[in-house]
Amino acid sequence: MDPLGSVIVETGRCIFSFFFTSIATVIKLQHNTGRLRKEFEKLEDRKNGIEEDVRLAETEGKCATEQVKGWIWKVEEIEQEVQPMLEKADRLAVQGCGPCCNILPRYRLCRRMAKKQLEVQQLINSCCFDNVVTDKKSPVRAVEKQQGPSLAGQREAEEMIEKLMELLKGDENKRIAVWGMGGVGKTTLVRNLNNELESSSLMESIDIVIWITVSKDLDLKKVQSQIAKRLNLELDPNEVIEERAKMLLKRLMMKKFLLILDDVWEHIDLDIVGVPQTDDQANRKILLTTRSLDVCRAMMTDEEIKLDVLKQEAAWNLFAQNAGDVVEVPSINPLARAVAKECGGLPLALKTVGKSMRNKRRIELWKHALHHLQHSDPHVKNIEDEVYRRLKLSYDSLPSKILQSCFLFCSLYPENYSIRTDELIQCWIADRLINEHQPLEDCFNDGIALIETLKDSCLLEQGDCARTVKLHDVVRDVAIWISTKQGSEKPCASILFTNITKPPKQFSGFSELTVIILVGNPINKIHDNLFAGLRKLRVLNLSQSHIVTLPPSLSQLQELRALLLRDCCYLEKLPSLGALRKLLVMDLSGTRLRELPNGTSKLKKLQELHLFRTHHLETIEAGTISGLQSLELLDMSFSAYKWDTRCNVDYGKASFNEILTLDRLSIVKLRLDKVDSVTLDSAWLMKLREFNIQISPGSCDSNNLATQHDEKRAILRGVDLMGIKGLNGLLDTASALDLVICGGISALSELSISHRLSSLESVKSLSISKCDCITSLISGDNISGTILPNLEHLSLNRLENLGAILGGMVPRKGCLKWLKTIEVVDCKKLRALISFALLQQVKNLEQIKVKNCSKMKYIIGGEVSAEMIPKLRVIELSDLPMLKTICSRLPAWPALEMIEVRNCPMLTKLPFATSNGVAATLKEIRGELQWWNRLIYSNDEIKSSLQQRFQPLKPLR
C-alpha cells in the first residue's frame, strides 16, 4: 500500500475509534447517571423517614442519637456533591455526542459518578440503627407544679377552684377567664388549680397542662417558646413566627391540652401563635387570667369568673398569717385590725403590709402605719414597690390619656364614697374630659362608655347604690399617689379637702386650679375672697356641706362649667350668677332656696338645671326659664313651685308656657296640681326623650320612684281619674304609669273609655297603689278591643277591693301578652292571682311575687300545662295564710329556677307530678325548715329530687 493510502486508512481507523469511544463513553455516562440517581433517591427516602421518626419522638421528650446525627450529617455532605454531578450529566446529555463533543470531561464525570454511587450504597447499607432516638431530654410531665402560696383551708378560694374544675369538665366551655383587679389573687388561685389538676379526674381527658406567663409586654415569639419548651420541642429562634407556628400546631393537634395563659393584658391571636382553634376541640381548652373584661371579650371567652377582694374574716386571717402572732396582743389587736381594714380586702396589700409589720411589738409603729395608710401615704415599707407600682400598670394600660384623667378625677372624692354617675359625668364634661359641644344625650353616652371601660379594667367598681360608682380604697390611694407624682411635673389642677369646718380664706398660689371638691364637709361659712384669683376654675362641688350662702366672689369664676350644691340643706341664698356665662350644669337640689338666684336667665349655655326636692322654692321670676335656651334637662321633682297656677303671670312668675319654648329640652321632671290649665299634648311629650310628670293636687310628696334612662313616667296621685281632664297626651305617651290613691274608676280599662284612649299601648310598667275603688285591673264589660298590649311589669299594692285581675269576658287578642312580672302585695280580697282566663294571655310571664294576701287560696287556677307557662322562672310567696296550692301538678316545668315560700302554713304540696317533672333548670327551693318538714310528696323519688335543692330560710326578726 502506498504511503498516502496508509495515511488515509490510519486516519479512518482513528476517526472510527474516536466515534466508537465517544459513543461508548456517552452510553456509560448515561448508565452511571441512572444508577447514581436511583441510589441517591433511595438514600433521600431513607433520610426523610429517619428525620420524621426523630421529629415524632421529640414530642415524647426524646432526640436523635449521635450515630443518627452523624449519618444525617454525612448524607447532607454527599448531597452537596451528588446534586451538581447529576445536574452536569443532564446538561451533557442535552449536548449529545457530535464531532465537537469533548470526551475527556465526560469520561472523568463518568468515573466520579461510579465512585459516588459506591459511597451512596455504603450510606444506605449503614443506616440500620439499633436506636434512632434516645431519652436525652426529660420526659414531658402532664402537670408541672407551680410555686406559690397554698389556698388550702380558705373556703371561698376552694369553692372557686371547685367551680373552675366543673367548668373545665364541661364540653361547652372551651375558653374560661378569671378576671379582677391587680393584686386580688388571680395568679395564686389558678396556680393552686394547676397543682390540684395532677390528682384530678379531669386529667383522664387531658394529656398535658401548659402554663404560660404572658405579662404586660406581649411577645408572641416568647409565648411560642414557652409552649415549645413545655412540649420538649426545639424551635429555631431565627425562624419567622409563621413557620414556628406550623411546628407548634402540628404538635398540639396530637394532644388533648389545657393551655393556661396567666396575666394577659391584650388580645392574643392564638392562630398566629400556633394553637389549634377548631370548633370540635372539646379536649383542648384555654384558661386565662386578666385584669380587663375587654380582654375577655377580645379572646371570646365562654365564661368569665370575676375574682373579688376578700371578705372581712378571710382578709383578717390572711393579714394575721403574714403579720404573725403579735396581732393577738390585746393592746395591738385593735390597731392591727384597723390596719388590715385599710387594705380593703386586697390580698396583695394584706400580704405586703402584714409582712412589713411582722412581729413589731411597739404600739407607736402600728399607729404610725395606720396614720400613713389612712392618709394614702405610701411610706409603709414596700407598699409603693410591691403594691402601688403593680396596680399602676392597670392605669398605664388604659387606652387613652382621657381615661387616665377620668380615673384620677375619681380620687378627688372621699374614701369609700359612692359617686353618682350623672354627677361624675357632669364634672368630666365641665373639666373638658368629655366634649361639651354636643347634645346632652351624647355627652351622657360618652360618660357611660368611659365609666364602663374603667369598671372593665377593675379601676372603678359598683357603688353602694344604683347608678353610683366608687374606688376601692387601695386603688384610690394609688390614684392619689400617681397624681402626687405628676404634680411635680405640671401645675396642680384639683384639690380635695375632707373633714374640715373652715376652708382657707383664699387659695393663694393656686391660680391654675380647675377643680375644687368639698363634698360632705361640715363647712358652714366661706370667706368673701375664697374664689378670688381662681379664674381657671371649671368645677366647684360643695354638695352636702353646711353652707348658708356663697360669697360675691363666686361671680369671678368666669370659666366655671359646673356648680354643684346638691343637698346643702342649709343653703338659703346665692349671689347673682349672671357673670357665669359658661356654666353648663347647676345643681341646687335639696337646698332651702326660696327663689332662683338673680341672673339665672343670663346663663345662655346652661344645659342642666337640677331643682330636685326644693321644698321651699316658691318664686321663679318670669322670663327666667325661657332665657335658658340651651337647657336640655330640667329636674323639678318634688319641688314646691306651682307651674300651673293661673295667677303666675299676674305676679310676675314663670309660667308653664316658658318650658314649652325650650326647643332643646329633652328631659323634664316636675309636678303639676292639675293639667286642665296647662298644655300636655302628645306632640310636645313625644319630643321629650325622658319625662317624670306627677299630677298630685296640693302636695309635692309622692312615692319616690326613680325614672329609668329613656323612660317616660306619669304619676297620678290623689286624683279623680274619671273627672280629671287633659290626661290624654300624658297617658298616650307614658311608658310607665303609677296610680296612687286615685278614685273614679273600678277598672283600669275604664280609662280607655273616659279619656277616649285606644289601648294604653305605650305603657310597659304599671303600678297601682291604695286605689280602693279598683275591683279588677281589666273588665271585659267595658272594652271591645285589646288593652295594655305591651305591658311588661305589673305591681298591685294595697288594693282593698281588688277581686280579680281580669273580670268578665276579656278579648284574648293581644291583652297582656308581653307581661313578664306580676307583684301583688296587701290585696285582702284577692282569692286567686292568675285565673284560667288570664293564663291564656300571659305566655311570656317570668316572675310571680305575692305577699300578704290573706284570702288567696291558689296562685294559678284551672288545669295548667307546660305550654301555658313556658318562661316562668321565679315564684316567691310570703304571708299567705289561706294558700293551699300553687297550681295543678305539671309533668314538666320548662324554665322554673326558684321557688321561695315563707309563712304559708296551708301549702303542703308542691306542683311536681313526677320526679322527671322536677325541672332540670330548678336551682333551689327556699322555705322555713318547719314548713319543709310538713310537705307531702307523691313518692320518695320526688322527695329525694327536691331535697337536693332545698335551702332553709332564716326566720325574720
Side-chain angles (χ1 to χ4, degrees), residues 232-244:
N232 271 349
L233 174 66
E234 292 185 7
L235 295 179
D236 186 346
N238 298 318
E239 204 164 30
V240 295
I241 196 169
E242 291 79 10
E243 293 302 318
R244 290 158 57 97

mmCIF file of all heavy atoms in Angstrom, residues 232-244:
data_model
loop_
_atom_site.group_PDB
_atom_site.id
_atom_site.type_symbol
_atom_site.label_atom_id
_atom_site.label_comp_id
_atom_site.label_asym_id
_atom_site.label_seq_id
_atom_site.Cartn_x
_atom_site.Cartn_y
_atom_site.Cartn_z
ATOM 1 N N ASN A 232 -41.134 19.954 74.983
ATOM 2 C CA ASN A 232 -39.791 19.466 74.623
ATOM 3 C C ASN A 232 -39.552 19.550 73.119
ATOM 4 O O ASN A 232 -39.007 18.658 72.487
ATOM 5 C CB ASN A 232 -39.589 18.025 75.095
ATOM 6 C CG ASN A 232 -39.029 17.981 76.505
ATOM 7 O OD1 ASN A 232 -38.600 18.996 77.047
ATOM 8 N ND2 ASN A 232 -39.038 16.799 77.103
ATOM 9 N N LEU A 233 -39.990 20.634 72.551
ATOM 10 C CA LEU A 233 -39.854 20.874 71.122
ATOM 11 C C LEU A 233 -38.897 22.034 70.918
ATOM 12 O O LEU A 233 -39.026 23.072 71.552
ATOM 13 C CB LEU A 233 -41.223 21.198 70.523
ATOM 14 C CG LEU A 233 -41.272 21.612 69.049
ATOM 15 C CD1 LEU A 233 -40.865 20.440 68.166
ATOM 16 C CD2 LEU A 233 -42.682 22.071 68.685
ATOM 17 N N GLU A 234 -37.925 21.853 70.021
ATOM 18 C CA GLU A 234 -36.959 22.907 69.748
ATOM 19 C C GLU A 234 -37.434 23.739 68.560
ATOM 20 O O GLU A 234 -37.710 23.208 67.492
ATOM 21 C CB GLU A 234 -35.585 22.313 69.460
ATOM 22 C CG GLU A 234 -34.941 21.660 70.675
ATOM 23 C CD GLU A 234 -33.537 21.180 70.383
ATOM 24 O OE1 GLU A 234 -33.035 21.488 69.271
ATOM 25 O OE2 GLU A 234 -32.944 20.513 71.242
ATOM 26 N N LEU A 235 -37.518 25.052 68.777
ATOM 27 C CA LEU A 235 -37.871 25.979 67.701
ATOM 28 C C LEU A 235 -36.652 26.827 67.367
ATOM 29 O O LEU A 235 -35.914 27.245 68.267
ATOM 30 C CB LEU A 235 -39.026 26.887 68.124
ATOM 31 C CG LEU A 235 -40.384 26.233 68.394
ATOM 32 C CD1 LEU A 235 -41.385 27.292 68.834
ATOM 33 C CD2 LEU A 235 -40.895 25.501 67.176
ATOM 34 N N ASP A 236 -36.460 27.064 66.088
ATOM 35 C CA ASP A 236 -35.354 27.903 65.646
ATOM 36 C C ASP A 236 -35.647 29.358 66.012
ATOM 37 O O ASP A 236 -36.636 29.933 65.541
ATOM 38 C CB ASP A 236 -35.184 27.770 64.135
ATOM 39 C CG ASP A 236 -33.955 28.503 63.621
ATOM 40 O OD1 ASP A 236 -33.386 29.323 64.381
ATOM 41 O OD2 ASP A 236 -33.580 28.276 62.459
ATOM 42 N N PRO A 237 -34.827 29.988 66.862
ATOM 43 C CA PRO A 237 -35.093 31.368 67.271
ATOM 44 C C PRO A 237 -35.035 32.353 66.114
ATOM 45 O O PRO A 237 -35.607 33.445 66.192
ATOM 46 C CB PRO A 237 -33.996 31.659 68.295
ATOM 47 C CG PRO A 237 -32.919 30.673 68.014
ATOM 48 C CD PRO A 237 -33.595 29.445 67.498
ATOM 49 N N ASN A 238 -34.349 31.977 65.035
ATOM 50 C CA ASN A 238 -34.214 32.889 63.900
ATOM 51 C C ASN A 238 -35.317 32.701 62.857
ATOM 52 O O ASN A 238 -35.389 33.456 61.888
ATOM 53 C CB ASN A 238 -32.847 32.679 63.233
ATOM 54 C CG ASN A 238 -31.707 32.998 64.179
ATOM 55 O OD1 ASN A 238 -31.761 33.993 64.907
ATOM 56 N ND2 ASN A 238 -30.689 32.149 64.200
ATOM 57 N N GLU A 239 -36.152 31.683 63.048
ATOM 58 C CA GLU A 239 -37.199 31.402 62.094
ATOM 59 C C GLU A 239 -38.370 32.355 62.300
ATOM 60 O O GLU A 239 -38.633 32.820 63.415
ATOM 61 C CB GLU A 239 -37.667 29.952 62.263
ATOM 62 C CG GLU A 239 -38.313 29.377 61.021
ATOM 63 C CD GLU A 239 -38.397 27.853 61.102
ATOM 64 O OE1 GLU A 239 -38.509 27.325 62.237
ATOM 65 O OE2 GLU A 239 -38.351 27.210 60.059
ATOM 66 N N VAL A 240 -39.084 32.663 61.237
ATOM 67 C CA VAL A 240 -40.210 33.591 61.323
ATOM 68 C C VAL A 240 -41.320 32.952 62.146
ATOM 69 O O VAL A 240 -41.440 31.730 62.238
ATOM 70 C CB VAL A 240 -40.731 33.985 59.926
ATOM 71 C CG1 VAL A 240 -39.685 34.749 59.175
ATOM 72 C CG2 VAL A 240 -41.197 32.758 59.149
ATOM 73 N N ILE A 241 -42.171 33.809 62.709
ATOM 74 C CA ILE A 241 -43.194 33.346 63.642
ATOM 75 C C ILE A 241 -44.185 32.397 62.985
ATOM 76 O O ILE A 241 -44.677 31.457 63.617
ATOM 77 C CB ILE A 241 -43.901 34.566 64.276
ATOM 78 C CG1 ILE A 241 -44.677 34.146 65.519
ATOM 79 C CG2 ILE A 241 -44.812 35.257 63.281
ATOM 80 C CD1 ILE A 241 -45.165 35.321 66.337
ATOM 81 N N GLU A 242 -44.450 32.599 61.686
ATOM 82 C CA GLU A 242 -45.414 31.738 60.991
ATOM 83 C C GLU A 242 -44.892 30.311 60.865
ATOM 84 O O GLU A 242 -45.667 29.349 61.025
ATOM 85 C CB GLU A 242 -45.717 32.311 59.601
ATOM 86 C CG GLU A 242 -46.513 33.616 59.602
ATOM 87 C CD GLU A 242 -45.654 34.828 59.901
ATOM 88 O OE1 GLU A 242 -44.413 34.685 59.921
ATOM 89 O OE2 GLU A 242 -46.230 35.910 60.100
ATOM 90 N N GLU A 243 -43.605 30.146 60.575
ATOM 91 C CA GLU A 243 -43.023 28.807 60.451
ATOM 92 C C GLU A 243 -42.986 28.108 61.807
ATOM 93 O O GLU A 243 -43.239 26.906 61.906
ATOM 94 C CB GLU A 243 -41.622 28.891 59.840
ATOM 95 C CG GLU A 243 -41.609 29.352 58.391
ATOM 96 C CD GLU A 243 -42.435 28.433 57.495
ATOM 97 O OE1 GLU A 243 -42.354 27.201 57.664
ATOM 98 O OE2 GLU A 243 -43.169 28.957 56.645
ATOM 99 N N ARG A 244 -42.649 28.865 62.855
ATOM 100 C CA ARG A 244 -42.658 28.291 64.207
ATOM 101 C C ARG A 244 -44.091 27.843 64.579
ATOM 102 O O ARG A 244 -44.283 26.817 65.226
ATOM 103 C CB ARG A 244 -42.161 29.324 65.212
ATOM 104 C CG ARG A 244 -40.677 29.627 65.079
ATOM 105 C CD ARG A 244 -40.311 30.977 65.667
ATOM 106 N NE ARG A 244 -40.663 31.123 67.063
ATOM 107 C CZ ARG A 244 -39.839 30.933 68.092
ATOM 108 N NH1 ARG A 244 -38.581 30.575 67.853
ATOM 109 N NH2 ARG A 244 -40.229 31.105 69.335
#
